[in-house]
Amino acid sequence: RQQGNFYPRLELLAEQLAMDDFQKFVLVYLTGSMLSPVFKSCIQGEDSYGSDKNPKVGDLLVAYWDTFAEQVAARTYFYKSSTLLRKGIIKPINDYTPPPDLTDQQLRLDRRVLETIVGLDKESSEISQGSHLYEPKVSLDAVVLPDKLKETIMGSVAHFETFRAYRKHHPDFDEAISYGVGLTLMFCGKSGTGKTMTANAIAAKLGKKLLLVNFPLLNKQNGKDEGHETKFQSIFREAELSDAIIFFDECESLFSKRSRGGSIDTTELLTELERFEGIVFLATNRPFDLDEAMYRRINEVFQFKAPNYLERLDIWKLVTSHKAVPCDPSIDWESIALKYELTGGFIKNAVISALLDGVGRDPKSPRITEVDILNGCKKQVRGALQMVDFNERVIPKEGLSSLVVSKPVMDNLSEMVSLEKARGILFGSWGFDEDMRSRQGTTALFWGPSGTGRSRSAEAVGFELGKPLKVVDLPRLLSGRQGGHVSNDDTGAQAARTVFQEARLQDAVLVLDGFSLETEQGGGGGGSDDARLLNIVVREMARFPGVVIMMVDTTGSLDVFVSRIDKSLLKNLKFLVEFQLPSSSNRKILWEKLMPPALPVLKDIDYKKLAEGSNSFNVSHIGNAIYRAAAGAALRTNAKDRFVGMKDLNAAIEEEKTRGESAVDRWAKSQYI
């Protein structure tokens, strides 16, 4: 073997499974009985225990061992706890009832073991429904991860390979630790952060196959096969036969906490994990759902975070470096990497989408332009946001460029986005220490009158960061009613912390909405307990590893709100953004923007005059006025008159100004105006 000559597969298998001579004899005997008619006729014609179709335990004992004492001692090779049966290498055949004695037990060789011995194992790469065995081709250089994370993972794997060599030279090690000597690593992180790619690269680096198991598909397979083998036994046995690394993907569907009614397969899987002596990778985006017993079987847990700007730039260059992806050399990859917060999987999809556009223009000599890449990025951002689902979710649909706000507001929003994008580099690559992590949140207070664009601005921030919004009713949280039940002060504080924890796990922009200084209810009553909870919320905002926006509805100053917060905590609010009613120039833009393109209008529309006539209007007022005018035009009997003109819009403006006024209010106004 060392000289590169032919090396029998049976010898290789026996070496991997640490078989002795009798165990190898059993495999040869059963192989011959299943494949060779000559061998089968020979053993069936002998005066032995075996005259049936399948060999029996007694046949094997008599054929190999000379004395009766040796045959009795060797019966242990066929106990259920023995290596051959426990690992599913050989299987008992019970047509109806178990045999009266162990020596009468019929045996057969597992089909996959037989294929491995005779060289037919490449005919099928699917071991069980939801599993796939293959030889990965991914290089470690193609995996873009923080250097420290990659080095730590590779160090753990390298040390394990050294540990396996140590065990071979110290057979008595198993007397000290008899089980759980494999390596189980967990990869946690959102979709597309490189978990699967890392597993492929490590397997390729070690020269091993990868057995990829998808749990949602695996769960559709129930029960045992005809050889009384479970789906997990077949997977782990195949990994041993192929000397493969196992990669369980989306494993949270099976490892859920038992207190929540976790999977009935958990115990069986834990047993197989303890018996397995190889490498197992587990991937999940919900590590907090894992069973406590599962955590005890995990050697190390690695967090895969979304790539920062510099890592995204490397991914873009790697994905587009091949000549099969022809890109225009003028594409500004740095600005694209900075603008779009995409993970590696979505970057790959964006490139494919761009290539489809290029091929559509020129099938023979396509060239990807920057416009193609930008369109591909926008599609991936929208798709990624739709994938994230949780309670109180809001999906952003437009970015900062769609907003109509004052320049100071836009400057603050742009700085918020930039600060949040830089945070990944600061803490991930530039070594900002743990002391800074307590102040790492991108925190903002949006305050001003209702209808001034605060919610739209929060959505635009989320869109720019590629994250959904988790919107929480702040007064309800402060009153201890979050989740639909009244709670005491301590429970209310815990509920506040839970909201932040959920938003972190959901990788969402957290929006604390509904706090109004114009109503007593909005302030939660103003008691000392409410003030304490409000201070806890502000403190958690600073610790949150992301964007937190608190909304305060007020037409006046923030004095009442500020009086309820500890002065030392005010510095944790990095952005104080005041939203005001739109100026005349912004109202003009809003009138133009909110007018539907298909709306039939007359040529007399003067948006500047509409802006002047709608003083003190917010975006909702303008939208209502346009809707009123359009509704009136749509109901006209003469089709030629179904157009919206200045007369209709001016009338709608006046109606909107008086909407909500009582008859007494209108009479009082008529006396003085």
Side-chain angles (χ1 to χ4, degrees):
R1 181 184 181 186
Q2 293 177 347
Q3 296 175 356
N5 297 327
F6 171 74
Y7 194 71
R9 282 173 166 260
L10 177 59
E11 291 295 334
L12 182 62
L13 179 62
E15 184 179 305
Q16 290 175 192
L17 301 180
M19 292 183 180
D20 60 21
D21 289 340
F22 179 63
Q23 290 170 321
K24 287 193 289 184
F25 169 80
V26 171
L27 266 59
V28 172
Y29 193 101
L30 294 179
T31 300
S33 69
M34 296 176 69
L35 293 182
S36 173
V38 175
F39 182 80
K40 187 181 299 184
S41 64
C42 290
I43 62 175
Q44 287 180 352
E46 295 177 352
D47 184 18
S48 67
Y49 284 87
S51 59
D52 296 324
K53 182 179 179 181
N54 296 293
K56 297 179 180 179
V57 171
D59 298 329
L60 295 164
L61 295 175
V62 170
Y64 189 85
W65 302 103
D66 295 329
T67 68
F68 179 71
E70 290 174 328
Q71 293 170 13
V72 172
R75 289 165 64 101
T76 57
Y77 282 96
F78 302 99
Y79 289 174
K80 289 183 178 180
S81 59
S82 67
T83 299
L84 293 177
L85 270 75
R86 176 170 52 82
K87 294 188 175 183
I89 297 171
I90 63 175
K91 298 182 178 181
I93 301 175
N94 297 324
D95 294 332
Y96 299 103
T97 58
D101 186 74
L102 179 62
T103 55
D104 295 319
Q105 176 65 63
Q106 296 184 44
L107 300 171
R108 70 176 177 84
L109 193 63
D110 177 75
R111 179 184 63 85
R112 294 292 296 179
V113 176
L114 179 64
E115 291 174 351
T116 300
I117 292 174
V118 300
L120 299 177
D121 52 310
K122 294 185 178 180
E123 289 187 355
S124 175
S125 60
E126 184 172 323
I127 315 307
S128 180
Q129 182 178 355
S131 65
H132 180 60
L133 180 68
Y134 60 95
E135 295 181 1
K137 306 295 183 183
V138 180
S139 168
L140 270 174
D141 294 334
V143 180
V144 179
L145 292 174
D147 292 338
K148 185 177 181 181
L149 176 61
K150 188 186 293 189
E151 291 171 3
T152 306
I153 295 174
M154 285 307 302
S156 298
V157 173
H159 295 162
F160 178 70
E161 291 299 306
T162 306
F163 166 71
R164 296 184 71 176
Y166 173 83
R167 283 186 63 207
K168 284 185 178 180
H169 291 90
H170 295 79
D172 56 344
F173 176 85
D174 291 344
E175 297 178 7
I177 303 177
S178 58
Y179 63 91
V181 293
L183 179 67
T184 303
L185 304 180
M186 173 173 286
F187 294 167
C188 306
K190 62 191 291 188
S191 176
T193 50
K195 301 186 294 293
T196 303
M197 193 174 186
T198 300
N200 278 269
I202 291 175
K205 177 73 173 178
L206 298 177
K208 296 178 180 289
K209 293 182 179 180
L210 188 71
L211 180 51
L212 177 62
V213 184
N214 183 281
F215 266 126
L217 292 178
L218 184 68
N219 277 337
K220 295 180 180 180
Q221 177 183 337
N222 297 313
K224 301 181 180 181
D225 63 13
E226 68 277 7
H228 305 281
E229 184 178 68
T230 67
K231 53 192 175 186
F232 292 113
Q233 287 174 333
S234 64
I235 287 172
F236 281 90
R237 174 184 45 76
E238 182 61 33
E240 289 183 320
L241 295 176
S242 305
D243 191 26
I245 293 175
I246 305 177
F247 181 69
F248 287 111
D249 198 11
E250 301 182 50
C251 65
E252 61 273 0
S253 62
L254 202 64
F255 295 157
S256 56
K257 291 181 179 178
R258 297 181 188 181
S259 60
R260 300 182 184 178
S263 170
I264 59 175
D265 294 322
T266 302
T267 301
E268 178 192 326
L269 180 57
L270 294 178
T271 301
E272 295 299 324
L273 271 176
E274 288 197 335
R275 291 174 177 173
F276 189 59
E277 299 180 1
I279 300 175
V280 177
F281 293 136
L282 309 172
T284 178
N285 55 10
R286 295 179 62 85
F288 48 90
D289 273 351
L290 295 190
D291 188 286
E292 180 182 351
M294 186 66 242
Y295 266 118
R296 292 201 303 268
R297 270 75 171 186
I298 297 172
N299 298 93
E300 289 187 74
V301 178
F302 298 97
Q303 181 72 34
F304 283 64
K305 297 181 179 180
N308 60 40
Y309 152 63
L310 297 176
E311 291 163 350
R312 291 196 300 273
L313 182 59
D314 289 340
I315 296 173
W316 278 110
K317 291 180 178 180
L318 276 171
V319 175
T320 59
S321 61
H322 198 278
K323 63 181 180 181
V325 187
C327 296
D328 192 310
S330 64
I331 295 177
D332 188 351
W333 296 114
E334 291 197 8
S335 64
I336 292 172
L338 182 61
K339 180 175 177 59
Y340 292 99
E341 299 262 342
L342 297 174
T343 60
F346 288 117
I347 289 176
K348 178 202 68 176
N349 292 342
V351 172
I352 293 175
S353 176
L355 184 56
L356 290 175
D357 291 340
V359 171
R361 288 191 303 270
D362 188 347
K364 294 183 178 180
S365 302
R367 179 170 290 272
I368 298 175
T369 65
E370 185 163 336
V371 173
D372 297 330
I373 293 292
L374 293 175
N375 288 335
C377 289
K378 292 174 183 177
K379 293 176 184 177
Q380 296 309 308
V381 168
R382 295 189 183 99
L385 291 172
Q386 291 291 343
M387 287 172 59
V388 183
D389 190 17
F390 50 82
N391 292 334
E392 304 157 323
R393 180 189 70 161
V394 174
I395 301 299
K397 295 183 173 57
E398 295 181 299
L400 295 180
S401 60
S402 67
L403 296 177
V404 181
V405 293
S406 65
K407 186 177 183 304
V409 171
M410 181 61 75
D411 290 344
N412 273 293
L413 297 178
S414 299
E415 189 178 350
M416 280 180 62
V417 172
S418 299
L419 182 63
E420 179 60 17
K421 289 185 175 183
R423 189 173 56 82
I425 300 177
L426 300 181
F427 290 96
S429 302
W430 288 6
F432 273 69
D433 57 23
E434 292 298 322
D435 292 338
M436 286 295 296
R437 288 191 179 274
S438 62
R439 301 184 297 277
Q440 66 174 321
T442 303
T443 54
L445 178 67
F446 289 1
W447 63 286
S450 176
T452 50
R454 286 170 296 157
S455 296
R456 290 288 300 274
S457 296
E459 291 183 31
V461 169
F463 186 89
E464 295 292 339
L465 298 173
K467 297 182 179 183
L469 271 62
K470 180 180 179 67
V471 181
V472 176
D473 188 277
L474 182 57
R476 192 177 185 85
L477 183 64
L478 295 179
S479 65
R481 294 179 179 271
Q482 185 70 15
H485 62 276
V486 180
S487 58
N488 58 38
D489 188 47
D490 291 337
T491 307
Q494 182 58 43
R497 296 186 180 98
T498 300
V499 165
F500 283 88
Q501 181 183 20
E502 290 175 349
R504 178 181 63 81
L505 295 171
Q506 293 155 355
D507 195 27
V509 172
L510 181 57
V511 178
L512 306 174
D513 199 5
F515 195 100
S516 174
L517 297 182
E518 310 304 320
T519 62
E520 182 180 356
Q521 289 84 358
S528 60
D529 289 344
D530 300 317
R532 176 179 175 273
L533 287 176
L534 182 59
N535 280 285
I536 290 175
V537 168
V538 175
R539 186 178 293 109
E540 291 296 325
M541 288 175 67
R543 296 172 178 171
F544 184 74
V547 177
V548 189
I549 300 172
M550 181 181 288
M551 305 280 202
V552 176
D553 189 2
T554 178
T555 56
S557 69
L558 284 175
D559 293 344
V560 175
F561 174 80
V562 171
S563 67
R564 299 179 186 174
I565 299 179
D566 190 319
K567 299 300 182 289
S568 63
L569 295 177
L570 282 175
K571 64 179 182 295
N572 293 331
L573 298 173
K574 293 185 174 66
F575 296 92
L576 299 176
V577 186
E578 181 182 7
F579 286 76
Q580 298 177 337
L581 291 172
S583 62
S584 178
S585 59
N586 279 345
R587 289 198 302 275
K588 177 177 179 294
I589 297 174
L590 287 172
W591 277 103
E592 295 171 343
K593 185 181 175 111
L594 296 178
M595 202 79 74
L599 182 67
V601 296
L602 297 175
K603 295 182 179 180
D604 67 340
I605 301 295
D606 188 333
Y607 291 105
K608 184 177 181 181
K609 289 185 178 180
L610 290 174
E612 293 171 351
S614 56
N615 188 34
S616 77
F617 270 31
N618 60 31
V619 62
S620 298
H621 295 142
I622 294 174
N624 290 340
I626 293 174
Y627 188 84
R628 286 172 182 272
L635 296 177
R636 289 171 184 152
T637 56
N638 191 343
K640 295 181 180 180
D641 296 332
R642 292 174 188 163
F643 289 88
V644 176
M646 280 295 290
K647 182 178 179 181
D648 302 312
L649 292 171
N650 285 327
I653 289 174
E654 294 304 317
E655 288 185 33
E656 187 64 22
K657 287 180 179 179
T658 59
R659 186 169 63 92
E661 289 184 349
S662 66
V664 175
D665 293 332
R666 287 193 294 273
W667 177 84
K669 186 182 294 185
S670 66
Q671 303 302 308
Y672 299 98
I673 299 178

